[in-house]
Amino acid sequence: AQSVTQPDIHITVSEGASLELRCNYSYGATPYLFWYVQSPGQGLQLLLKYFSGDTLVQGIKGFEAEFKRSQSSFNLRKPSVHWSDAAEYFCAVGAQDSSYKLIFGSGTRLLVRP
Amino acid sequence: GAVVSQHPSRVICKSGTSVKIECRSLDFQATTMFWYRQFPKKSLMLMATSNEGSKATYEQGVEKDKFLINHASLTLSTLTVTSAHPEDSSFYICSAKGAGGRGSCTFGSGTRLTVV
């Protein structure tokens, strides 16, 4: 069965520091992978997605993610975090019967120190 | 860009009453929409897939009679929580397939349901 693991529940970084949020997935074939961000009480905004091709994916707000098949990972990175990046981040994989049905990880809450 | 409007954003209802949540694609047609539920400090769990003009497909463990889904037009899907109980209190989010490119969906802003 497909699953997504985000091992870090919380991460705190200083403003201006680099960020990496971890995501591991379990999937039988080539996955469709996504990163979403959620502000408190809000819906989800797509940061980036991977379907095929270049394994380094660029997204909005300066985020990028790298697909590593050998490690079953799709970690999210940002070179310099801004205070406005504080939010909940979800990694997701498209379900095998429909890539539009998403299986989400448990989320990582990012806190930014001034 | 693609916009999905979800209404209401927040609702409080009494136990035993029913609540309807609307999910509307504003600038594109969505033949398929998805309903998710998010418990406090938890991830999103897919509840059901809503298909225009046909019955919704529910995920395992989701009560069809409690969570009624109707997708009567290409731009509107509704989720009705029937005979609501406090344990139904949650954050419900819809997403719509169609406008964001292959495989991606656009999410609504969510509905916070509190049953008292």
Side-chain angles (χ1 to χ4, degrees):
Chain A
Q2 301 127 335
S3 65
V4 177
T5 302
Q6 292 179 251
D8 303 305
I9 298 173
H10 301 107
I11 282 188
T12 301
V13 299
S14 297
E15 190 168 16
S18 63
L19 170 71
E20 182 169 29
L21 302 182
R22 295 184 291 167
C23 173
N24 292 95
Y25 66 89
S26 173
Y27 194 84
T30 300
Y32 288 3
L33 294 162
F34 307 83
W35 274 99
Y36 284 88
V37 61
Q38 183 183 35
S39 297
Q42 299 296 311
L44 279 78
Q45 182 181 25
L46 178 67
L47 290 175
L48 46 80
K49 60 188 177 185
Y50 171 80
F51 293 152
S52 64
D54 194 344
T55 56
L56 184 62
V57 181
Q58 301 298 320
I60 62 171
K61 304 185 178 186
F63 286 95
E64 66 177 28
E66 186 170 11
F67 170 61
K68 293 185 177 180
R69 184 187 298 276
S70 61
Q71 298 177 19
S72 297
S73 69
F74 189 56
N75 294 348
L76 182 72
R77 300 193 294 248
K78 186 169 184 177
S80 177
V81 169
H82 188 262
W83 64 266
S84 60
D85 293 324
E88 187 91 22
Y89 290 80
F90 291 97
C91 181
V93 64
Q96 256 178 310
D97 57 336
S98 169
S99 62
Y100 297 95
K101 289 169 57 175
L102 299 182
I103 298 162
F104 285 88
S106 53
T108 298
R109 178 162 295 280
L110 174 64
L111 304 174
V112 180
R113 279 194 297 257
Chain B
V3 177
V4 172
S5 174
Q6 190 171 339
H7 180 78
S9 59
R10 190 179 295 269
V11 59
I12 300 173
C13 71
K14 293 184 177 180
S15 285
T17 62
S18 295
V19 173
K20 180 184 286 188
I21 302 170
E22 291 187 350
C23 181
R24 198 179 297 271
S25 57
L26 296 187
D27 48 4
F28 65 100
Q29 293 183 333
T31 55
T32 303
M33 292 185 177
F34 303 92
W35 287 95
Y36 294 83
R37 180 174 179 176
Q38 185 178 30
F39 293 95
K41 301 185 187 298
K42 297 289 187 182
S43 187
L44 291 86
M45 302 296 294
L46 179 66
M47 299 173 65
T49 302
S50 170
N51 298 298
E52 188 267 334
S54 64
K55 290 185 179 181
T57 304
Y58 290 82
E59 296 299 304
Q60 192 173 8
V62 177
E63 297 177 63
K64 301 177 184 181
D65 296 331
K66 163 154 287 283
F67 300 102
L68 299 179
I69 291 173
N70 183 278
H71 195 154
S73 79
L74 286 170
T75 59
L76 176 65
S77 174
T78 60
L79 168 68
T80 301
V81 183
T82 63
S83 187
H85 289 104
E87 57 265 31
D88 299 324
S89 298
S90 196
F91 193 61
Y92 294 88
I93 310 179
C94 68
S95 71
K97 164 191 169 183
R102 186 165 58 121
S104 60
C105 293
T106 304
F107 280 81
S109 55
T111 298
R112 170 73 60 195
L113 169 64
T114 304
V115 184
V116 298

